[in-house]
């Protein structure tokens, strides 16, 4: 049997961020037009040597949920353990339908799934670290172990988990791209500003 190590040198990698029922039509925190990305995400997977996914995976009483804070409303920003925290509708609770990947998302090529948001005291937008960078999910070590150099990011929501995942990839030295056709934001205005920030730091938007 001959070996072909050519892929090891390239390892073009796709990170699919949080394509879960709660972020899609009918979900607890549905991203506008989010379902439109699913066929795109399925179609582009063939262009990558390595495909991985992240999964928001909160305990029932996660403190990013507005219901955990008396008198606070959804989408209000508070301070939580020293960090600004948007209060979300309860979403992606471990073991629920909302936390599952959308049934139309192609998962056969996904080699690894990195779960995040499991510590109830701190939110985790990036697939690499929680929002305080206190804990590492293991994603960075995994990518380095696979000799990854280039990363493309797609998924939901563009202005939160996609953006922070892409920013951490960039800061970790990967050539990083966000695939615009395969992301959707919660807030369009925020997303425009964040795209500029990402580009100014060397990120590519395609
Ligand atoms: Zn979450």
């Amino acid at each position: 049997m001959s070996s072909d190590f050519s892929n090891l040198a390239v390892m073009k990698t796709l990170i699919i961020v949080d394509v879960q029922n709660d972020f899609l039509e009918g979900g607890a925190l549905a991203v506008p037009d989010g379902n439109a990305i699913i066929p795109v995400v399925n179609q582009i997977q063939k262009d990558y040597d390595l495909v991985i996914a992240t999964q928001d995976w909160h305990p029932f009483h996660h403190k990013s949920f507005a219901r955990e804070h008396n008198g606070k409303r959804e989408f209000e920003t508070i301070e939580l353990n020293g960090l600004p925290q948007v209060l979300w509708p309860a979403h992606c609770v471990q073991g629920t339908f909302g936390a599952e990947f959308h049934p139309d998302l192609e998962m056969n090529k996904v080699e690894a799934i990195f779960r995040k948001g499991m510590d109830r005291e701190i939110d985790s937008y990036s697939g690499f670290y929680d929002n305080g960078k206190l804990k590492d999910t293991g994603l960075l070590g995994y990518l380095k172990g696979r000799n990854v150099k280039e990363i493309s990011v797609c998924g939901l929501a563009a202005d939160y988990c996609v953006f922070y995942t892409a920013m951490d990839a960039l800061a970790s030295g990967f050539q990083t791209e966000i695939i615009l056709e395969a992301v959707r934001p919660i807030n369009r205005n925020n997303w425009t500003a964040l795209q500029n920030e990402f580009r100014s730091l060397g990120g590519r938007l395609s």
Side-chain angles (χ1 to χ4, degrees), residues 10-31:
V10 182
M11 291 309 279
K12 220 180 148 210
T13 297
L14 180 67
I15 302 180
I16 304 170
V17 175
D18 299 4
V19 182
Q20 294 165 257
N21 292 315
D22 268 343
F23 296 123
L24 292 154
E25 201 178 304
L29 182 45
V31 178

Side-chain angles (χ1 to χ4, degrees), residues 18 23 29 56-58 62 64-65 88 91-92 116-117 123-125 161:
D18 299 4
F23 296 123
L29 182 45
D56 213 22
W57 192 250
H58 295 306
H62 196 262
S64 73
F65 299 164
W88 304 109
H91 64 276
C92 297
K116 60 192 182 62
D123 213 353
S124 194
Y125 295 152
C161 295

